[in-house]
Amino acid sequence: MSVKSFAAKIFAGIIHNKTQKWVQNPIGTQQKVFQNLLDSAKDTQFGKDHNFAKIKSFEDFAMQVPIRDYEELRPYVDRVVKGEENILWPGKPLYFAKTSGTTSGAKYIPLTKESMPFHIEAARNAILGYIHETGKADFVDGKMIFLQGSPILEEKNGINLGRLSGIVAHFVPKYLQKNRMPSWETNCIEDWETKVDAIVEETFNENMTVISGIPSWVQMYFEKLEQNGNKAVGDIFKNFNLFIYGGVNYEPYRAKFENLIGRKVDSIELFPASEGFFAYQDSQKDKGMLLLLNSGIFYEFVKSEEFFTENPKRYTIGEVELNVNYVLIISTNAGLWAYNIGDTVQFTCLKPYRVIVSGRIKHYISAFGEHVIGKEVEHALKEAMENSNIRVNEFTVAPQIAPSSGLPYHEWFIEFENEPENLEEFALKVDNAMRKQNTYYDDLIVGKVLKTLVISKVSKNGFQDYMKSIGKLGGQNKIPRLSNDRKIADLLKRG
């Protein structure tokens, strides 16, 4: 055991003990965060407009502060972007994380001196939690790669802005600098395909032990490695045993990854976003990710089926239930207040509070009242693939409301690595798995409102070509699992 791995184990134990203090007092921890947020922001423009100084309870807060998405909060954000101080949070932000919005063009998410450290600590603590649980720390002596956006930042009214992953690159701890790949120069390459080629060249002969990124884009890296070396990734990187990912569910990719790597490797799931780092996988044995209740974020939850009703009930951490689909609402030390980030979660455990990301509140199919969510389609595909050599590269689902003949249906666009021998039989397996999970969908099939789903094959690299065509190849961009319209479907059909 090296000195570095020995020190990592000691540090992991210290962080574990520190984490357990707030894990054991979740409601008290959230109440403290809630009060600190209100006290800090009571003299801001937003705090004055919403009577923060008079708020004494969560019920008061819910009365004074309505749930907003980016568009609804935008009048305040625009003032911050213009350089005004003390609007959403005291002073000015350190950075803006620039993301692409669906209706608002570019979105500017503030990052403050209070919020930024939690983005770094959460990623670090996820790795330390893994070391503490498993006792595995040898990987700290090898090279680590984080596939991310360019760290080159722009400036807007005196505030630096860029992609979150690019901003985070400026905060890599010194003790990781020598181990971290790719090089700064390679990381700055904007074109994703050129960047991946450069990363392959840089890393091919290195002792890579940890690889991190969104699965769909790591898959592209693995495929290029395999082509370059004419052997499995696990044979190229013999000590690679830990994959860290976030952004999308790994399960649809797992079989393909294990084939590319040539063996199983441990994985850690993260739940980061520009708006905050919400959770990370704290156990290799238990399902779900530990919700970070002590990270400057106060959480609220609204049941998905009630979200679009007038004045839906807003739940706090002590009121949530297992296996209920909730829209995640946050108030943060970056100045977001009762903010709808668009993600839905389900609790898998209440002691401690662990969640899975079940989908997006805007990414669902309910063309016929079925309200299918991302978790359901991912699980159905996984179930249908079990005990087979079928492997999927990427997929998305859309409704076909007006077919040229017959009943409407859900159309699944799938790019296969290994195709099923009988596509119709496989489609029926996926459909049966969907019907078991979603009673509304099952009722529509039984009632002959819908026919069983149809699979349309997407050609090799079809999804990459689609993402390239809309200028979203690589980085933190990902294909929506579900659409309630056929914008993506029609483009894939043409391709």
Side-chain angles (χ1 to χ4, degrees):
M1 183 187 298
S2 70
V3 172
K4 196 170 185 179
S5 60
F6 179 71
K9 285 187 176 184
I10 293 173
F11 190 32
I14 293 169
I15 294 300
H16 173 78
N17 292 336
K18 188 177 177 182
T19 300
Q20 288 308 302
K21 288 180 181 177
W22 62 258
V23 164
Q24 300 300 326
N25 182 26
I27 296 171
T29 297
Q30 273 287 274
Q31 182 58 38
K32 186 177 178 182
V33 169
F34 175 68
Q35 197 58 55
N36 285 342
L37 290 174
L38 291 178
D39 290 344
S40 298
K42 68 179 184 296
D43 294 325
T44 63
Q45 187 61 58
F46 190 94
K48 290 174 183 175
D49 290 349
H50 295 82
N51 298 310
F52 277 16
K54 294 181 180 179
I55 291 175
K56 303 300 181 188
S57 66
F58 169 67
E59 289 73 22
D60 292 345
F61 179 79
M63 288 283 290
Q64 295 288 343
V65 186
I67 293 171
R68 291 176 167 97
D69 60 16
Y70 185 83
E71 275 300 296
E72 291 164 318
L73 194 66
R74 187 168 180 169
Y76 288 98
V77 177
D78 284 350
R79 292 180 64 181
V80 180
V81 172
K82 286 176 183 175
E84 291 187 48
E85 296 187 17
N86 304 317
I87 302 300
L88 287 165
W89 191 255
K92 289 185 179 183
L94 283 180
Y95 299 94
F96 290 118
K98 187 179 180 182
T99 67
S100 55
T102 51
T103 59
S104 54
K107 293 164 61 177
Y108 297 94
I109 306 298
L111 297 165
T112 63
K113 68 178 188 297
E114 289 83 7
S115 71
M116 196 67 223
F118 288 112
H119 285 273
I120 313 306
E121 287 177 15
R124 179 202 70 186
N125 290 354
I127 297 173
L128 292 172
Y130 170 83
I131 292 172
H132 180 80
E133 183 191 30
T134 65
K136 299 175 183 176
D138 289 346
F139 64 83
V140 302
D141 296 312
K143 299 283 188 178
M144 306 177 187
I145 189 168
F146 301 90
L147 293 179
Q148 57 191 189
S150 170
I152 296 174
L153 303 179
E154 304 169 50
E155 191 179 287
K156 198 168 186 71
N157 297 319
I159 299 172
N160 285 325
L161 65 93
R163 296 175 186 165
L164 176 66
S165 60
I167 293 169
V168 168
H170 291 261
F171 289 83
V172 175
K174 286 184 179 178
Y175 58 83
L176 283 181
Q177 293 285 7
K178 290 182 180 178
N179 297 62
R180 185 176 177 277
M181 299 195 80
S183 66
W184 185 267
E185 292 73 23
T186 295
N187 224 8
C188 290
I189 297 172
E190 287 288 349
D191 180 75
W192 187 252
E193 290 171 296
T194 306
K195 183 173 188 168
V196 173
D197 286 337
I199 291 172
V200 167
E201 188 176 337
E202 271 192 12
T203 58
F204 191 82
N205 294 312
E206 296 288 348
N207 177 29
M208 304 304 302
T209 56
V210 178
I211 295 172
S212 175
I214 291 176
S216 50
W217 306 119
V218 174
Q219 178 179 308
M220 186 176 173
Y221 168 57
F222 282 174
E223 287 171 341
K224 286 181 178 286
L225 279 168
E226 187 183 53
Q227 292 164 12
N228 203 52
N230 201 26
K231 55 185 175 181
V233 173
D235 291 328
I236 297 169
F237 303 142
K238 296 187 184 300
N239 295 316
F240 165 49
N241 281 300
L242 181 59
F243 173 50
I244 303 173
Y245 67 95
V248 297
N249 187 358
Y250 181 39
E251 290 309 317
Y253 300 93
R254 190 178 291 276
K256 175 69 187 291
F257 267 55
E258 289 175 358
N259 182 63
L260 283 167
I261 298 165
R263 62 172 183 271
K264 291 184 178 182
V265 299
D266 286 349
S267 60
I268 303 173
E269 183 175 9
L270 310 178
F271 184 11
S274 299
E275 297 86 352
F277 203 124
F278 307 122
Y280 61 73
Q281 183 180 345
D282 68 320
S283 173
Q284 294 292 302
K285 302 166 191 169
D286 300 308
K287 186 179 180 183
M289 295 174 283
L290 182 70
L291 188 65
L292 303 180
L293 303 175
N294 194 38
S295 295
I297 301 169
F298 177 72
Y299 299 95
E300 299 176 57
F301 308 90
V302 177
K303 291 180 179 178
S304 293
E305 66 266 25
E306 299 174 1
F307 185 73
F308 294 107
T309 63
E310 193 174 347
N311 298 320
K313 180 170 172 53
R314 293 157 68 170
Y315 298 88
T316 57
I317 194 68
E319 302 171 295
V320 296
E321 304 170 63
L322 295 173
N323 304 315
V324 173
N325 209 44
Y326 292 105
V327 180
L328 185 63
I329 309 298
I330 59 167
S331 297
T332 78
N333 55 5
L336 301 177
W337 300 102
Y339 185 86
N340 170 24
I341 66 165
D343 286 320
T344 59
V345 299
Q346 291 181 6
F347 284 87
T348 60
C349 180
L350 302 182
K351 288 186 178 180
Y353 286 95
R354 292 195 182 102
V355 297
I356 57 168
V357 180
S358 52
R360 298 277 294 169
I361 193 63
K362 291 183 179 178
H363 293 169
Y364 61 89
I365 296 177
S366 200
F368 308 92
E370 61 274 43
H371 207 88
V372 170
I373 61 173
K375 172 180 173 284
E376 292 168 345
V377 296
E378 289 172 341
H379 183 86
L381 186 60
K382 179 189 174 189
E383 185 177 313
M385 290 166 58
E386 280 174 358
N387 303 315
S388 77
N389 66 348
I390 299 166
R391 288 194 290 274
V392 167
N393 287 341
E394 190 60 273
F395 77 99
T396 192
V397 187
Q400 176 51 273
I401 297 171
S404 55
S405 63
L407 293 171
Y409 53 88
H410 285 186
E411 188 169 10
W412 289 54
F413 293 84
I414 302 179
E415 181 184 324
F416 289 101
E417 175 71 17
N418 280 359
E419 291 183 24
E421 290 181 12
N422 187 321
L423 192 63
E424 288 185 6
E425 186 180 293
F426 180 69
L428 196 57
K429 281 185 178 180
V430 178
D431 199 77
N432 287 333
M434 276 299 308
R435 292 173 66 180
K436 282 191 288 184
Q437 291 184 88
N438 188 307
T439 56
Y440 302 111
Y441 181 73
D442 183 54
D443 288 344
L444 292 167
I445 299 290
V446 171
K448 294 187 166 29
V449 176
L450 295 178
K451 72 175 184 178
T452 56
L453 64 86
V454 172
I455 293 176
S456 294
K457 291 191 291 185
V458 176
S459 59
K460 178 74 172 171
N461 298 325
F463 282 100
Q464 284 185 25
D465 292 342
Y466 162 73
M467 293 297 277
K468 192 173 183 178
S469 73
I470 62 170
K472 290 190 175 183
L473 182 66
Q476 306 304 301
N477 300 309
K478 43 197 179 281
I479 292 277
R481 286 284 176 253
L482 296 160
S483 303
N484 207 37
D485 56 43
R486 291 189 61 82
K487 289 177 185 174
I488 296 173
D490 290 342
L491 284 169
L492 289 170
K493 281 277 193 187
R494 283 182 218 143

